[in-house]
């Protein structure tokens, strides 16, 4: 089975711009989660989607949003970029089962905001 | 906020030695998972241990969980230079909440 894929792998933007990141989960996985990783804050949960619905949300401002499509692919959008949004954005997918909550991560998108 | 806290923050050993990393957490959990991350790359899932399990093995990995102490340990036996990476523990609280809460990680360096 192919793993989780994320595009693009690297992105450079300037302050005030917006960005859209894409994630394709492992085939058969319907839950997709997004995480932000920075040197200062570590790995932080952004949100989780299941069946096109946001099921869980972390403590991030409304500039961070996401969506999931009927094929379980997910996108996240960050509007009005700030320097502090520079980070590695990781997507993870899992089966929808509390007993089998292994989450499998993609390679990440490295976002640099100048 | 970070629930898991790994200890030590950094560990340097020689090839062939065993490496032990610890993780503590604050609230009740459903599962605890360990991940590896090579410099700036994605997380690789290593092992999951459920709250009703005490020990689990996978190849050279051994994970223990002590829910009374809210702690877990990851043992890598006969380490190799390729094991050099950051290791994170992550917990979830179960139910329909799939959020993983990560610790800050242990940076393991295995010297050849």
């Amino acid at each position: 089975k192919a793993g989780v894929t994320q595009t693009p792998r690297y992105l450079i933007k300037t302050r005030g711009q917006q960005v859209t990141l894409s994630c394709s989960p492992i085939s058969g996985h319907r839950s997709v989660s997004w995480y932000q990783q920075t040197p200062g804050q570590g790995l932080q949960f952004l949100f989780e989607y299941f069946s096109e619905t946001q099921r869980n949300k972390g403590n991030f401002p409304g500039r961070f949003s996401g969506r999931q499509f009927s094929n379980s692919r997910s996108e996240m959008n960050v509007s009005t970029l700030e320097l502090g949004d520079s980070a590695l954005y990781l997507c993870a997918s899992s089966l929808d089962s509390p007993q089998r909550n292994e989450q499998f991560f993609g390679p990440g998108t490295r976002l640099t905001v100048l | 906020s970070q629930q898991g806290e790994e200890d030590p923050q950094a560990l340097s050993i020689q090839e062939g030695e065993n490496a032990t990393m610890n993780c503590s957490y604050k609230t009740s959990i459903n599962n605890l998972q360990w991940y590896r991350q090579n410099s700036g790359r994605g997380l690789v899932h290593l092992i999951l241990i459920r709250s009703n399990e005490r020990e689990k093995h996978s190849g050279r990995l051994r994970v223990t969980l002590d829910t009374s102490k809210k702690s877990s340990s990851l043992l890598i036996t006969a380490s190799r230079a390729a094991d050099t990476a950051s290791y994170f523990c992550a917990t979830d609280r179960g139910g329909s909440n799939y959020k993983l809460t990560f610790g800050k990680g242990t940076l393991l360096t295995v010297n050849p």
Side-chain angles (χ1 to χ4, degrees), chain A residues 35 37 40-41 43 45 48 55-56 88 90 94-99 101-107 110, chain B residues 1-2 30-31 33 35 37 40-43 45 48 50 88 92 94-100 102 104:
Chain A
Y35 293 82
Q37 186 178 28
Q41 298 300 314
L43 281 149
F45 173 78
E48 184 245 348
R55 194 161 59 172
N56 294 285
L88 181 66
L90 294 161
S94 68
L95 289 169
D96 180 38
S97 168
Q99 283 71 42
N101 190 24
E102 291 100 331
Q103 294 196 21
F104 298 93
F105 284 78
R110 172 76 60 186
Chain B
S1 63
Q2 299 288 337
N30 188 42
N31 302 296
Q33 303 180 58
Y35 289 87
Q37 184 179 39
R41 299 187 182 179
L43 298 169
H45 184 267
L48 178 149
R50 305 189 200 290
F88 296 89
D92 73 79
S96 61
N97 188 335
Y98 282 72
K99 168 187 173 181
L100 290 181
F102 285 86
K104 290 194 178 295

Side-chain angles (χ1 to χ4, degrees), chain A residues 19-21 34 46-47 49 54 57 60-67 74-79:
Chain A
V19 67
T20 299
L21 312 181
W34 289 89
L46 281 156
F47 27 65
Y49 286 87
Q54 186 181 89
K57 189 177 190 305
F60 278 82
R63 300 185 297 107
F64 292 82
S65 63
R67 59 178 176 169
S74 177
E75 290 181 346
M76 68 162 281
N77 184 78
V78 187
S79 62

Side-chain angles (χ1 to χ4, degrees), chain B residues 38-106:
Chain B
N38 292 86
S39 179
R41 299 187 182 179
L43 298 169
V44 174
H45 184 267
L46 296 177
I47 199 164
L48 178 149
I49 187 165
R50 305 189 200 290
S51 59
N52 62 354
E53 296 177 313
R54 292 296 165 258
E55 188 171 312
K56 210 159 182 183
H57 296 255
S58 177
R60 293 183 297 113
L61 306 180
R62 172 178 169 253
V63 169
T64 62
L65 179 65
D66 187 336
T67 53
S68 66
K69 295 181 179 178
K70 292 188 169 59
S71 67
S72 173
S73 68
L74 171 67
L75 168 68
I76 304 175
T77 60
S79 63
R80 306 165 182 167
D83 294 328
T84 294
S86 291
Y87 291 81
F88 296 89
C89 69
T91 58
D92 73 79
R93 302 195 65 179
S96 61
N97 188 335
Y98 282 72
K99 168 187 173 181
L100 290 181
T101 303
F102 285 86
K104 290 194 178 295
T106 293

